[in-house]
Amino acid sequence: MRPARISAGLAAILGLTAMAMPALALRLPPVTHPATLKECSGCHMVFPPQMLPARSWTALMGDLANHFNESAALPPDVQADIVGYLTANAADAPANKAIRGLLSGVKATDVPLRITEMPWWKRSHGEVSPGRYALPQIKTASNCIACHRDGAKGVFTEN
Ligand code: HEC
Ligand code: HEC
């Protein structure tokens, strides 16, 4: 049973057009940066840099020894290479400001450390009942690829 899918299906049956529905797809360029792919995909999918502002990546990467109760510590040169890539491609990088809505609702002083704390993420997942994240095959909202099969390629559509 996939409640959010059913409601999207129901909306279609009711004749709501794509314009009346929130956009339910986001396609971002896949991560190709070698060090990021290598070091940031072992415990979860590699997250797209566009999903957080640069200051968030700087904060996360500045404390990898205390990374959500795990140690993801890296040698300084590798850490610097990755933070350079993530911040250059962050939500607030000039080329990405056109990507709709990713920064809306985020104050300049906010430093969100999770994508799942971002206002755009919460809006997009408003129809997902919180209990669904606890399902054994999902475990946590951070497990994007449990629901978005091609998430590691930057593709977040209805599967
Ligand atoms: C040793 C395992 C491990 C490695 C390696 C690792 N992470 Fe994580 N990461 C975690 C855990 C555990 C969480 C929290 C997941 C949860 O709450 O369910 C997390 C969460 C995150 C989140 C927040 C996800 C959300 O909930 O929105 C981001 C962003 C993140 N990691 C970035 C990175 C980056 C960038 C790297 C590479 C430098 C990296 N991680 C490497 C274990 C790891
Ligand atoms: C329990 C399943 C589940 C998990 C886990 C999940 N999502 Fe989603 N996501 C959905 C559903 C349901 C939607 C609504 C659209 C749809 O039906 O696909 C959605 C929508 C989206 C959208 C489209 C938003 C839009 O407005 O176009 C993006 C992007 C997205 N999710 C990213 C993520 C990311 C990143 C993660 C992990 C940090 C994640 N999701 C985790 C189920 C999930």
Side-chain angles (χ1 to χ4, degrees):
M1 288 290 278
R2 309 184 73 177
R5 287 293 182 291
I6 289 168
S7 67
L10 260 181
I13 292 163
L14 292 170
L16 297 177
T17 63
M19 278 177 69
M21 294 282 293
L24 296 177
L26 182 65
R27 288 169 190 274
L28 296 168
V31 173
T32 53
H33 183 252
T36 306
L37 277 178
K38 178 163 181 264
E39 307 295 351
C40 305
S41 64
C43 305
H44 46 65
M45 75 166 209
V46 63
F47 297 112
Q50 295 85 357
M51 289 189 171
L52 286 174
R55 58 188 180 276
S56 296
W57 290 123
T58 303
L60 266 171
M61 294 299 296
D63 196 13
L64 285 177
N66 298 297
H67 182 74
F68 304 97
N69 301 321
E70 306 248 357
S71 174
L74 292 170
D77 56 330
V78 180
Q79 192 267 356
D81 184 19
I82 294 174
V83 78
Y85 165 75
L86 293 171
T87 54
N89 294 282
D92 48 349
N96 294 335
K97 288 210 169 138
I99 303 176
R100 62 174 165 78
L102 292 188
L103 282 175
S104 76
V106 183
K107 292 193 213 101
T109 50
D110 290 346
V111 187
L113 296 179
R114 285 180 176 271
I115 292 163
T116 50
E117 278 170 9
M118 293 286 280
W120 74 262
W121 194 95
K122 293 185 183 169
R123 283 193 300 271
S124 306
H125 295 81
E127 286 187 34
V128 182
S129 74
R132 197 156 155 222
Y133 300 115
L135 294 175
Q137 67 273 31
I138 300 179
K139 295 196 178 76
T140 155
S142 311
N143 188 8
C144 320
I145 47 176
C147 300
H148 302 287
R149 205 175 29 198
D150 295 322
K153 293 182 217 149
V155 178
F156 297 86
T157 51
E158 300 191 48
N159 293 323

